[in-house]
Amino acid sequence: MRCCKSSTKKHKSYKCKKCTYTYNPSVGDPKSGIPADTPFEELPDTWKCPVCGAPKSEFEKI
């Protein structure tokens, strides 16, 4: 049986500092071709906030 803590730790949500959009790894970003269960750390460096276009560097862990 997998430990819930390691799974939760891997899938932290991140919030855009500019518009407060929250990237939820369990949902991904289907409109941008990012499948569910993709951790924020594995998003391409070119990925941008789907709401305001802010770069990945403008997100903070929540």
Side-chain angles (χ1 to χ4, degrees):
M1 185 176 199
R2 286 175 32 185
C3 174
C4 295
K5 286 190 175 192
S6 64
S7 178
T8 302
K9 193 174 195 179
K10 179 181 174 187
H11 290 88
K12 295 283 185 185
S13 293
Y14 283 74
K15 180 174 73 171
C16 179
K17 293 186 239 178
K18 291 190 174 190
C19 74
T20 68
Y21 164 81
T22 299
Y23 175 76
N24 181 345
S26 63
V27 175
D29 182 8
K31 290 182 182 178
S32 298
I34 306 297
D37 295 324
T38 301
F40 184 82
E41 296 80 9
E42 293 181 15
L43 293 174
D45 291 335
T46 57
W47 181 83
K48 296 190 183 302
C49 176
V51 174
C52 72
K56 200 172 150 183
S57 61
E58 290 295 321
F59 281 72
E60 62 186 357
K61 191 184 301 186
I62 55 171

Short mmCIF file of all heavy atoms in Angstrom, two decimals:
data_model
loop_
_atom_site.label_atom_id
_atom_site.label_comp_id
_atom_site.label_asym_id
_atom_site.label_seq_id
_atom_site.Cartn_x
_atom_site.Cartn_y
_atom_site.Cartn_z
N MET A 1 0.84 -1.19 0.00
CA MET A 1 0.00 0.00 0.00
C MET A 1 0.88 1.25 0.00
O MET A 1 1.85 1.32 0.74
CB MET A 1 -0.89 -0.04 1.25
CG MET A 1 -1.89 1.04 1.32
SD MET A 1 -2.89 0.73 2.79
CE MET A 1 -4.27 1.68 2.44
N ARG A 2 0.54 2.21 -0.84
CA ARG A 2 1.33 3.44 -0.92
C ARG A 2 1.00 4.36 0.23
O ARG A 2 -0.14 4.46 0.65
CB ARG A 2 1.07 4.16 -2.23
CG ARG A 2 1.70 3.48 -3.38
CD ARG A 2 1.37 4.08 -4.70
NE ARG A 2 1.16 5.52 -4.69
CZ ARG A 2 0.78 6.20 -5.73
NH1 ARG A 2 0.56 5.58 -6.85
NH2 ARG A 2 0.59 7.49 -5.67
N CYS A 3 2.01 5.06 0.67
CA CYS A 3 1.81 6.03 1.74
C CYS A 3 1.21 7.31 1.18
O CYS A 3 1.67 7.82 0.16
CB CYS A 3 3.15 6.33 2.42
SG CYS A 3 3.03 7.64 3.65
N CYS A 4 0.19 7.81 1.78
CA CYS A 4 -0.49 9.01 1.30
C CYS A 4 0.39 10.25 1.36
O CYS A 4 0.29 11.13 0.53
CB CYS A 4 -1.75 9.27 2.12
SG CYS A 4 -2.98 7.97 1.92
N LYS A 5 1.27 10.32 2.35
CA LYS A 5 2.10 11.51 2.50
C LYS A 5 3.03 11.72 1.31
O LYS A 5 3.16 12.82 0.82
CB LYS A 5 2.91 11.45 3.79
CG LYS A 5 2.07 11.71 5.01
CD LYS A 5 2.93 11.89 6.23
CE LYS A 5 2.07 12.26 7.41
NZ LYS A 5 2.84 12.71 8.52
N SER A 6 3.66 10.66 0.81
CA SER A 6 4.57 10.84 -0.32
C SER A 6 3.81 11.26 -1.57
O SER A 6 4.27 12.07 -2.34
CB SER A 6 5.38 9.57 -0.59
OG SER A 6 4.52 8.53 -0.98
N SER A 7 2.62 10.71 -1.76
CA SER A 7 1.80 11.09 -2.90
C SER A 7 1.35 12.55 -2.78
O SER A 7 1.39 13.31 -3.73
CB SER A 7 0.59 10.16 -2.99
OG SER A 7 -0.22 10.54 -4.05
N THR A 8 0.94 12.95 -1.59
CA THR A 8 0.50 14.33 -1.36
C THR A 8 1.67 15.28 -1.53
O THR A 8 1.53 16.34 -2.13
CB THR A 8 -0.09 14.47 0.06
OG1 THR A 8 -1.17 13.56 0.18
CG2 THR A 8 -0.59 15.87 0.30
N LYS A 9 2.83 14.91 -1.03
CA LYS A 9 4.01 15.76 -1.12
C LYS A 9 4.38 16.01 -2.58
O LYS A 9 4.76 17.11 -2.96
CB LYS A 9 5.18 15.09 -0.39
CG LYS A 9 6.35 15.98 -0.14
CD LYS A 9 7.35 15.25 0.71
CE LYS A 9 8.35 16.21 1.29
NZ LYS A 9 9.32 15.55 2.13
N LYS A 10 4.23 15.01 -3.42
CA LYS A 10 4.56 15.11 -4.83
C LYS A 10 3.57 16.01 -5.58
O LYS A 10 3.90 16.60 -6.58
CB LYS A 10 4.56 13.71 -5.44
CG LYS A 10 4.89 13.68 -6.91
CD LYS A 10 4.84 12.27 -7.43
CE LYS A 10 5.02 12.26 -8.92
NZ LYS A 10 4.82 10.93 -9.47
N HIS A 11 2.36 16.10 -5.08
CA HIS A 11 1.32 16.80 -5.80
C HIS A 11 0.86 18.08 -5.09
O HIS A 11 -0.32 18.25 -4.83
CB HIS A 11 0.13 15.87 -6.04
CG HIS A 11 0.43 14.79 -7.01
ND1 HIS A 11 0.97 13.59 -6.65
CD2 HIS A 11 0.28 14.74 -8.35
CE1 HIS A 11 1.14 12.85 -7.72
NE2 HIS A 11 0.73 13.52 -8.77
N LYS A 12 1.75 18.97 -4.79
CA LYS A 12 1.39 20.24 -4.18
C LYS A 12 0.79 21.18 -5.22
O LYS A 12 1.19 21.18 -6.37
CB LYS A 12 2.62 20.91 -3.55
CG LYS A 12 3.22 20.16 -2.39
CD LYS A 12 2.37 20.38 -1.17
CE LYS A 12 3.02 19.74 0.04
NZ LYS A 12 2.20 19.82 1.20
N SER A 13 -0.16 21.98 -4.78
CA SER A 13 -0.74 22.98 -5.66
C SER A 13 0.09 24.25 -5.61
O SER A 13 0.76 24.53 -4.62
CB SER A 13 -2.18 23.28 -5.21
OG SER A 13 -3.01 22.17 -5.40
N TYR A 14 0.02 25.02 -6.68
CA TYR A 14 0.74 26.28 -6.79
C TYR A 14 -0.22 27.37 -7.23
O TYR A 14 -1.10 27.12 -8.06
CB TYR A 14 1.88 26.17 -7.81
CG TYR A 14 3.08 25.43 -7.28
CD1 TYR A 14 3.08 24.06 -7.11
CD2 TYR A 14 4.24 26.12 -6.94
CE1 TYR A 14 4.18 23.38 -6.63
CE2 TYR A 14 5.36 25.45 -6.46
CZ TYR A 14 5.31 24.08 -6.31
OH TYR A 14 6.41 23.42 -5.83
N LYS A 15 -0.05 28.58 -6.69
CA LYS A 15 -0.94 29.69 -6.99
C LYS A 15 -0.18 30.79 -7.72
O LYS A 15 0.94 31.14 -7.35
CB LYS A 15 -1.53 30.24 -5.69
CG LYS A 15 -2.48 31.41 -5.89
CD LYS A 15 -3.14 31.82 -4.59
CE LYS A 15 -2.14 32.54 -3.73
NZ LYS A 15 -2.72 33.16 -2.55
N CYS A 16 -0.81 31.34 -8.75
CA CYS A 16 -0.23 32.46 -9.49
C CYS A 16 -0.28 33.71 -8.61
O CYS A 16 -1.33 34.04 -8.06
CB CYS A 16 -1.02 32.68 -10.78
SG CYS A 16 -0.41 34.07 -11.77
N LYS A 17 0.85 34.38 -8.48
CA LYS A 17 0.92 35.59 -7.65
C LYS A 17 0.23 36.77 -8.31
O LYS A 17 -0.13 37.73 -7.65
CB LYS A 17 2.38 35.96 -7.36
CG LYS A 17 3.09 34.95 -6.49
CD LYS A 17 4.46 35.46 -6.14
CE LYS A 17 5.52 34.51 -6.62
NZ LYS A 17 6.87 34.99 -6.33
N LYS A 18 0.03 36.71 -9.62
CA LYS A 18 -0.59 37.83 -10.33
C LYS A 18 -2.11 37.77 -10.35
O LYS A 18 -2.77 38.78 -10.17
CB LYS A 18 -0.05 37.92 -11.75
CG LYS A 18 1.41 38.34 -11.78
CD LYS A 18 1.85 38.65 -13.17
CE LYS A 18 3.28 39.19 -13.13
NZ LYS A 18 3.68 39.73 -14.42
N CYS A 19 -2.68 36.58 -10.58
CA CYS A 19 -4.13 36.51 -10.73
C CYS A 19 -4.80 35.52 -9.77
O CYS A 19 -6.01 35.37 -9.79
CB CYS A 19 -4.51 36.16 -12.16
SG CYS A 19 -4.21 34.42 -12.59
N THR A 20 -4.04 34.83 -8.96
CA THR A 20 -4.49 33.84 -7.98
C THR A 20 -5.04 32.54 -8.58
O THR A 20 -5.65 31.75 -7.89
CB THR A 20 -5.51 34.41 -6.96
OG1 THR A 20 -6.73 34.71 -7.60
CG2 THR A 20 -4.96 35.64 -6.25
N TYR A 21 -4.83 32.29 -9.90
CA TYR A 21 -5.16 30.99 -10.48
C TYR A 21 -4.37 29.92 -9.72
O TYR A 21 -3.20 30.11 -9.40
CB TYR A 21 -4.79 30.96 -11.96
CG TYR A 21 -4.74 29.55 -12.55
CD1 TYR A 21 -5.91 28.90 -12.95
CD2 TYR A 21 -3.53 28.89 -12.69
CE1 TYR A 21 -5.86 27.62 -13.48
CE2 TYR A 21 -3.48 27.61 -13.22
CZ TYR A 21 -4.65 26.98 -13.60
OH TYR A 21 -4.60 25.70 -14.12
N THR A 22 -5.01 28.81 -9.42
CA THR A 22 -4.33 27.72 -8.72
C THR A 22 -4.14 26.55 -9.67
O THR A 22 -5.11 26.04 -10.26
CB THR A 22 -5.14 27.27 -7.50
OG1 THR A 22 -5.25 28.37 -6.61
CG2 THR A 22 -4.45 26.12 -6.77
N TYR A 23 -2.86 26.13 -9.83
CA TYR A 23 -2.56 24.93 -10.60
C TYR A 23 -2.72 23.74 -9.67
O TYR A 23 -2.03 23.61 -8.67
CB TYR A 23 -1.14 24.95 -11.17
CG TYR A 23 -0.80 23.64 -11.86
CD1 TYR A 23 -1.31 23.35 -13.11
CD2 TYR A 23 -0.03 22.66 -11.23
CE1 TYR A 23 -1.06 22.14 -13.73
CE2 TYR A 23 0.23 21.45 -11.84
CZ TYR A 23 -0.29 21.19 -13.09
OH TYR A 23 -0.06 19.99 -13.70
N ASN A 24 -3.66 22.86 -10.02
CA ASN A 24 -3.93 21.66 -9.25
C ASN A 24 -3.39 20.47 -10.04
O ASN A 24 -3.94 20.13 -11.09
CB ASN A 24 -5.44 21.54 -9.02
CG ASN A 24 -5.81 20.33 -8.21
OD1 ASN A 24 -5.03 19.41 -8.02
ND2 ASN A 24 -7.03 20.32 -7.71
N PRO A 25 -2.35 19.83 -9.55
CA PRO A 25 -1.74 18.70 -10.28
C PRO A 25 -2.71 17.56 -10.57
O PRO A 25 -2.58 16.89 -11.59
CB PRO A 25 -0.61 18.23 -9.38
CG PRO A 25 -0.36 19.35 -8.46
CD PRO A 25 -1.63 20.10 -8.31
N SER A 26 -3.69 17.33 -9.71
CA SER A 26 -4.61 16.23 -9.95
C SER A 26 -5.53 16.52 -11.14
O SER A 26 -6.11 15.60 -11.71
CB SER A 26 -5.44 15.92 -8.70
OG SER A 26 -6.24 17.02 -8.35
N VAL A 27 -5.62 17.79 -11.55
CA VAL A 27 -6.42 18.17 -12.71
C VAL A 27 -5.53 18.42 -13.92
O VAL A 27 -5.89 18.11 -15.05
CB VAL A 27 -7.24 19.45 -12.40
CG1 VAL A 27 -7.99 19.95 -13.63
CG2 VAL A 27 -8.19 19.20 -11.25
N GLY A 28 -4.34 18.98 -13.68
CA GLY A 28 -3.45 19.34 -14.78
C GLY A 28 -3.94 20.61 -15.45
O GLY A 28 -4.66 21.42 -14.85
N ASP A 29 -3.60 20.79 -16.70
CA ASP A 29 -4.06 21.93 -17.50
C ASP A 29 -4.40 21.40 -18.89
O ASP A 29 -3.63 21.56 -19.83
CB ASP A 29 -2.97 23.01 -17.56
CG ASP A 29 -3.39 24.25 -18.32
OD1 ASP A 29 -4.58 24.37 -18.69
OD2 ASP A 29 -2.53 25.10 -18.57
N PRO A 30 -5.57 20.75 -19.00
CA PRO A 30 -5.94 20.10 -20.26
C PRO A 30 -5.91 21.02 -21.48
O PRO A 30 -5.55 20.60 -22.57
CB PRO A 30 -7.35 19.56 -20.01
CG PRO A 30 -7.56 19.60 -18.55
CD PRO A 30 -6.60 20.60 -17.98
N LYS A 31 -6.29 22.28 -21.30
CA LYS A 31 -6.30 23.21 -22.43
C LYS A 31 -4.90 23.46 -22.98
O LYS A 31 -4.73 23.81 -24.13
CB LYS A 31 -6.95 24.54 -22.02
CG LYS A 31 -8.44 24.41 -21.79
CD LYS A 31 -9.06 25.74 -21.44
CE LYS A 31 -10.54 25.59 -21.18
NZ LYS A 31 -11.16 26.85 -20.79
N SER A 32 -3.90 23.29 -22.12
CA SER A 32 -2.50 23.47 -22.54
C SER A 32 -1.82 22.14 -22.84
O SER A 32 -0.61 22.09 -23.03
CB SER A 32 -1.72 24.21 -21.45
OG SER A 32 -2.25 25.50 -21.24
N GLY A 33 -2.58 21.05 -22.80
CA GLY A 33 -2.01 19.73 -23.09
C GLY A 33 -1.28 19.10 -21.91
O GLY A 33 -0.52 18.16 -22.10
N ILE A 34 -1.53 19.60 -20.70
CA ILE A 34 -0.89 19.05 -19.50
C ILE A 34 -1.87 18.05 -18.86
O ILE A 34 -2.94 18.45 -18.39
CB ILE A 34 -0.54 20.16 -18.48
CG1 ILE A 34 0.31 21.26 -19.12
CG2 ILE A 34 0.13 19.56 -17.25
CD1 ILE A 34 1.66 20.83 -19.63
N PRO A 35 -1.52 16.76 -18.85
CA PRO A 35 -2.44 15.76 -18.31
C PRO A 35 -2.55 15.82 -16.79
O PRO A 35 -1.66 16.36 -16.10
CB PRO A 35 -1.83 14.44 -18.76
CG PRO A 35 -0.40 14.71 -18.99
CD PRO A 35 -0.30 16.17 -19.39
N ALA A 36 -3.63 15.27 -16.27
CA ALA A 36 -3.82 15.14 -14.82
C ALA A 36 -2.65 14.37 -14.22
O ALA A 36 -2.01 13.57 -14.90
CB ALA A 36 -5.13 14.43 -14.54
N ASP A 37 -2.38 14.64 -12.96
CA ASP A 37 -1.29 14.01 -12.19
C ASP A 37 0.09 14.46 -12.65
O ASP A 37 1.07 13.75 -12.44
CB ASP A 37 -1.40 12.49 -12.20
CG ASP A 37 -2.65 12.01 -11.47
OD1 ASP A 37 -3.02 12.63 -10.45
OD2 ASP A 37 -3.28 11.04 -11.92
N THR A 38 0.18 15.65 -13.25
CA THR A 38 1.48 16.21 -13.62
C THR A 38 1.89 17.20 -12.52
O THR A 38 1.25 18.23 -12.35
CB THR A 38 1.42 16.96 -14.97
OG1 THR A 38 1.00 16.04 -15.98
CG2 THR A 38 2.77 17.54 -15.33
N PRO A 39 2.95 16.86 -11.75
CA PRO A 39 3.41 17.79 -10.71
C PRO A 39 3.88 19.11 -11.32
O PRO A 39 4.39 19.14 -12.45
CB PRO A 39 4.59 17.05 -10.07
CG PRO A 39 4.44 15.63 -10.47
CD PRO A 39 3.72 15.64 -11.79
N PHE A 40 3.71 20.18 -10.58
CA PHE A 40 4.10 21.51 -11.04
C PHE A 40 5.57 21.52 -11.49
O PHE A 40 5.91 22.13 -12.50
CB PHE A 40 3.88 22.54 -9.93
CG PHE A 40 4.16 23.95 -10.35
CD1 PHE A 40 3.22 24.69 -11.04
CD2 PHE A 40 5.38 24.55 -10.06
CE1 PHE A 40 3.48 25.99 -11.45
CE2 PHE A 40 5.65 25.85 -10.45
CZ PHE A 40 4.69 26.57 -11.15
N GLU A 41 6.41 20.85 -10.73
CA GLU A 41 7.84 20.82 -11.04
C GLU A 41 8.14 20.20 -12.40
O GLU A 41 9.20 20.46 -12.97
CB GLU A 41 8.61 20.05 -9.94
CG GLU A 41 8.55 20.70 -8.58
CD GLU A 41 7.25 20.42 -7.80
OE1 GLU A 41 6.44 19.57 -8.22
OE2 GLU A 41 7.06 21.06 -6.76
N GLU A 42 7.24 19.39 -12.91
CA GLU A 42 7.44 18.73 -14.20
C GLU A 42 6.82 19.49 -15.37
O GLU A 42 6.92 19.05 -16.52
CB GLU A 42 6.91 17.30 -14.15
CG GLU A 42 7.71 16.42 -13.22
CD GLU A 42 7.21 14.99 -13.18
OE1 GLU A 42 6.42 14.59 -14.06
OE2 GLU A 42 7.60 14.28 -12.24
N LEU A 43 6.17 20.62 -15.10
CA LEU A 43 5.64 21.43 -16.19
C LEU A 43 6.80 21.99 -17.00
O LEU A 43 7.86 22.32 -16.44
CB LEU A 43 4.81 22.60 -15.65
CG LEU A 43 3.51 22.24 -14.94
CD1 LEU A 43 2.89 23.50 -14.32
CD2 LEU A 43 2.55 21.58 -15.89
N PRO A 44 6.65 22.13 -18.30
CA PRO A 44 7.73 22.70 -19.10
C PRO A 44 8.01 24.15 -18.67
O PRO A 44 7.11 24.85 -18.20
CB PRO A 44 7.20 22.66 -20.53
CG PRO A 44 5.80 22.20 -20.47
CD PRO A 44 5.47 21.78 -19.09
N ASP A 45 9.24 24.58 -18.82
CA ASP A 45 9.62 25.94 -18.44
C ASP A 45 8.85 26.98 -19.26
O ASP A 45 8.72 28.13 -18.84
CB ASP A 45 11.12 26.17 -18.60
CG ASP A 45 11.92 25.38 -17.57
OD1 ASP A 45 11.37 25.05 -16.50
OD2 ASP A 45 13.10 25.08 -17.84
N THR A 46 8.34 26.58 -20.40
CA THR A 46 7.60 27.49 -21.26
C THR A 46 6.12 27.60 -20.88
O THR A 46 5.41 28.43 -21.43
CB THR A 46 7.70 27.03 -22.73
OG1 THR A 46 7.21 25.68 -22.81
CG2 THR A 46 9.14 27.11 -23.23
N TRP A 47 5.67 26.77 -19.92
CA TRP A 47 4.27 26.80 -19.50
C TRP A 47 3.95 28.14 -18.86
O TRP A 47 4.77 28.72 -18.15
CB TRP A 47 3.99 25.67 -18.52
CG TRP A 47 2.57 25.60 -18.05
CD1 TRP A 47 1.53 25.02 -18.70
CD2 TRP A 47 2.04 26.15 -16.85
NE1 TRP A 47 0.37 25.17 -17.97
CE2 TRP A 47 0.67 25.86 -16.82
CE3 TRP A 47 2.59 26.86 -15.78
CZ2 TRP A 47 -0.17 26.25 -15.78
CZ3 TRP A 47 1.76 27.25 -14.74
CH2 TRP A 47 0.40 26.94 -14.74
N LYS A 48 2.76 28.66 -19.15
CA LYS A 48 2.32 29.94 -18.59
C LYS A 48 0.95 29.78 -17.95
O LYS A 48 0.19 28.87 -18.30
CB LYS A 48 2.26 30.99 -19.68
CG LYS A 48 3.62 31.29 -20.29
CD LYS A 48 3.57 32.50 -21.17
CE LYS A 48 4.87 32.79 -21.86
NZ LYS A 48 6.00 32.99 -21.03
N CYS A 49 0.63 30.68 -17.04
CA CYS A 49 -0.68 30.69 -16.39
C CYS A 49 -1.75 30.77 -17.48
O CYS A 49 -1.70 31.66 -18.33
CB CYS A 49 -0.78 31.89 -15.45
SG CYS A 49 -2.41 32.06 -14.69
N PRO A 50 -2.72 29.85 -17.45
CA PRO A 50 -3.76 29.87 -18.48
C PRO A 50 -4.73 31.04 -18.34
O PRO A 50 -5.49 31.32 -19.26
CB PRO A 50 -4.48 28.54 -18.29
CG PRO A 50 -4.21 28.15 -16.89
CD PRO A 50 -2.86 28.71 -16.55
N VAL A 51 -4.70 31.76 -17.23
CA VAL A 51 -5.61 32.88 -17.03
C VAL A 51 -4.96 34.21 -17.43
O VAL A 51 -5.52 34.97 -18.22
CB VAL A 51 -6.10 32.95 -15.56
CG1 VAL A 51 -6.93 34.19 -15.31
CG2 VAL A 51 -6.89 31.70 -15.22
N CYS A 52 -3.76 34.47 -16.91
CA CYS A 52 -3.14 35.78 -17.15
C CYS A 52 -1.85 35.73 -17.96
O CYS A 52 -1.30 36.77 -18.30
CB CYS A 52 -2.90 36.50 -15.83
SG CYS A 52 -1.56 35.80 -14.83
N GLY A 53 -1.34 34.53 -18.24
CA GLY A 53 -0.13 34.40 -19.05
C GLY A 53 1.17 34.58 -18.28
O GLY A 53 2.24 34.66 -18.88
N ALA A 54 1.10 34.63 -16.95
CA ALA A 54 2.32 34.78 -16.14
C ALA A 54 3.21 33.54 -16.29
O ALA A 54 2.71 32.42 -16.43
CB ALA A 54 1.96 34.98 -14.67
N PRO A 55 4.53 33.74 -16.25
CA PRO A 55 5.44 32.59 -16.36
C PRO A 55 5.40 31.73 -15.09
O PRO A 55 4.92 32.16 -14.03
CB PRO A 55 6.81 33.24 -16.54
CG PRO A 55 6.68 34.58 -15.93
CD PRO A 55 5.26 35.00 -16.13
N LYS A 56 5.92 30.54 -15.20
CA LYS A 56 5.97 29.57 -14.11
C LYS A 56 6.65 30.17 -12.86
O LYS A 56 6.27 29.85 -11.74
CB LYS A 56 6.75 28.35 -14.61
CG LYS A 56 6.54 27.11 -13.86
CD LYS A 56 7.22 25.96 -14.59
CE LYS A 56 7.66 24.91 -13.61
NZ LYS A 56 8.38 23.83 -14.22
N SER A 57 7.59 31.07 -13.06
CA SER A 57 8.32 31.68 -11.94
C SER A 57 7.45 32.57 -11.07
O SER A 57 7.82 32.91 -9.95
CB SER A 57 9.50 32.48 -12.46
OG SER A 57 9.05 33.53 -13.31
N GLU A 58 6.25 32.92 -11.55
CA GLU A 58 5.32 33.77 -10.78
C GLU A 58 4.36 32.97 -9.91
O GLU A 58 3.41 33.52 -9.38
CB GLU A 58 4.54 34.67 -11.74
CG GLU A 58 5.36 35.75 -12.39
CD GLU A 58 5.89 36.77 -11.39
OE1 GLU A 58 5.17 37.14 -10.44
OE2 GLU A 58 7.05 37.16 -11.55
N PHE A 59 4.62 31.68 -9.75
CA PHE A 59 3.77 30.82 -8.94
C PHE A 59 4.44 30.52 -7.60
O PHE A 59 5.67 30.44 -7.52
CB PHE A 59 3.48 29.50 -9.66
CG PHE A 59 2.40 29.63 -10.70
CD1 PHE A 59 2.64 30.31 -11.90
CD2 PHE A 59 1.15 29.07 -10.50
CE1 PHE A 59 1.64 30.43 -12.84
CE2 PHE A 59 0.15 29.19 -11.46
CZ PHE A 59 0.40 29.87 -12.63
N GLU A 60 3.62 30.35 -6.57
CA GLU A 60 4.14 29.97 -5.25
C GLU A 60 3.39 28.76 -4.74
O GLU A 60 2.20 28.57 -5.01
CB GLU A 60 4.00 31.14 -4.27
CG GLU A 60 2.58 31.59 -4.02
CD GLU A 60 2.49 32.84 -3.17
OE1 GLU A 60 3.52 33.35 -2.71
OE2 GLU A 60 1.36 33.31 -2.98
N LYS A 61 4.10 27.93 -3.99
CA LYS A 61 3.54 26.70 -3.44
C LYS A 61 2.51 27.07 -2.36
O LYS A 61 2.74 27.96 -1.56
CB LYS A 61 4.63 25.85 -2.81
CG LYS A 61 4.20 24.46 -2.44
CD LYS A 61 5.28 23.67 -1.73
CE LYS A 61 6.52 23.54 -2.56
NZ LYS A 61 7.51 22.65 -1.93
N ILE A 62 1.38 26.38 -2.39
CA ILE A 62 0.36 26.62 -1.34
C ILE A 62 0.05 25.33 -0.62
O ILE A 62 0.40 24.27 -1.05
CB ILE A 62 -0.93 27.24 -1.90
CG1 ILE A 62 -1.52 26.39 -3.02
CG2 ILE A 62 -0.68 28.64 -2.38
CD1 ILE A 62 -2.91 26.83 -3.44
#
